[in-house]
Amino acid sequence: MAVAQGGRKAFVVGGTGETGKVLLQELLKRNTFQRLVSISRRKVEYQDESYNKLEQTVVDFDKLESDHSEAFQGFDVGFCLLGTTKGKAGAGSSNEGWSTGAAFWREDGYICFEAN
C-alpha cells in the first residue's frame, strides 16, 4: 500500500454515485492522501473498514456559496463527479449540446471530470 505523501488533502463531490464510489474506493486503497473528505447531501454509513479514514461533510448544494464555501477550503486536490441518470432526471430531460463520452478540464487548480 502506498503511503500518503506530504500531507496532501483531497475532497470528492459525487462520491455516492456509481463513478464516485469507484473513485473513493481507489483513493482509499492507494492511500494517496493524508486526508480524504467526501462532500455530499447526506452522510453515508459505510460497512467496510477501508472507509474508516474517510471524512464526510454534509452540505446543501443549493446554498454552497452562502453557507458552505468553507467546506472546500484547505485542499490540494478536488474531484467533482456530480451527475444524474435519465431515470432520475425524468423522461423530458434533455442533454442537448452535450456530447457522449467524458470530458476533463482544469478549473481553479482542480481536474474536473464529467461523464455524459
Side-chain angles (χ1 to χ4, degrees), residues 23-114:
L23 176 65
L24 281 178
Q25 289 170 352
E26 284 298 314
L27 293 176
L28 289 165
K29 179 173 82 175
R30 294 172 188 265
N31 197 29
T32 306
F33 299 99
Q34 177 187 21
R35 182 175 178 220
L36 182 61
V37 179
S38 175
I39 300 174
S40 61
R41 297 180 196 282
R42 60 183 166 77
K43 185 173 181 181
V44 177
E45 298 297 328
Y46 294 104
Q47 304 302 317
D48 192 309
E49 287 184 20
S50 65
Y51 288 90
N52 288 350
K53 193 174 174 185
L54 179 67
E55 296 177 38
Q56 296 185 61
T57 299
V58 176
V59 299
D60 179 345
F61 283 99
D62 292 327
K63 298 179 181 178
L64 282 182
E65 288 186 52
S66 63
D67 294 354
H68 304 291
S69 62
E70 75 285 348
F72 298 90
Q73 302 300 312
F75 292 97
D76 301 297
V77 178
F79 299 92
C80 181
L81 296 110
L82 292 176
T84 189
T85 63
K86 285 187 179 183
K88 289 183 180 179
S93 67
S94 169
N95 60 357
E96 184 178 331
W98 292 38
S99 61
T100 58
F104 293 87
W105 70 95
R106 280 188 85 85
E107 186 173 313
D108 296 328
Y110 300 111
I111 297 174
C112 301
F113 167 82
E114 177 176 76

